[in-house]
Amino acid sequence: MVEIAEGCALAGLPPMVRLVVQGRPAALDAAAASLGLDAPPPMLRVASGVGGSALRLGPFELLILPTLEGRAGLDAALAPVPHSLVEVSDRNVGFLLEGARAADILAGLCPLDFALSSFPVGMVTRTLLDKAGAMIWRTDAHSFHVEVWRSFGPYVEAQMREVAKGISFSLLTV
């Protein structure tokens, strides 16, 4: 983790398995069950089980971040139901943004309201960060998991650092 603003740090996440499951409710139910969940999470929410995390990005879509064991059971669970399962591990890169001003940094790149009351822990959404498509998941009160396409990674990282500089400067002038 590298501090990019006072009390706010940014780190690139290590490579991880990322799978997109698309299908009707039976497919989403099967995918969720393979992760140890009772049901898929509600829209724009995340649920985590022993087999990994399921991020509900659309009515017929889950982004799955499985554990090694969770990945092994997913294919078997989905076999009897029509579905689409695509591995997008190499397409994306992830960042962890933590600290008291993390929401302010994201708000500097995106018009969403990142107040804890509006974007609570466990919420996830697709949006634009400046000009790059992104997925943002609030993992804790002051912590966000940000995913972007690999080709946009350096750009988004630079933009977050630039906004952080502005926040740090504004703290000095108050």
Side-chain angles (χ1 to χ4, degrees), residues 67-111:
T67 62
L68 197 53
E69 299 80 23
R71 174 63 178 113
L74 188 61
D75 289 325
L78 288 170
V81 293
H83 68 280
S84 167
L85 177 63
V86 179
E87 182 166 353
V88 295
S89 303
D90 291 331
R91 178 188 76 182
N92 288 11
V93 294
F95 297 98
L96 180 61
L97 181 62
E98 292 184 324
R101 303 300 299 262
D104 296 332
I105 290 170
L106 292 174
L109 296 170
C110 175

Side-chain angles (χ1 to χ4, degrees), residues 92-160:
N92 288 11
V93 294
F95 297 98
L96 180 61
L97 181 62
E98 292 184 324
R101 303 300 299 262
D104 296 332
I105 290 170
L106 292 174
L109 296 170
C110 175
L112 293 177
D113 183 357
F114 289 104
L116 194 53
S117 59
S118 301
F119 201 95
V121 173
M123 186 166 186
V124 63
T125 193
R126 280 193 188 113
T127 188
L128 290 176
L129 286 179
D130 198 22
K131 299 174 187 175
M135 185 274 313
I136 301 172
W137 167 20
R138 183 175 227 142
T139 57
D140 201 356
H142 299 292
S143 182
F144 294 88
H145 177 137
V146 178
E147 295 262 332
V148 297
W149 283 16
R150 182 170 304 280
S151 59
F152 291 117
Y155 172 76
V156 169
E157 181 177 5
Q159 292 301 94
M160 286 192 280

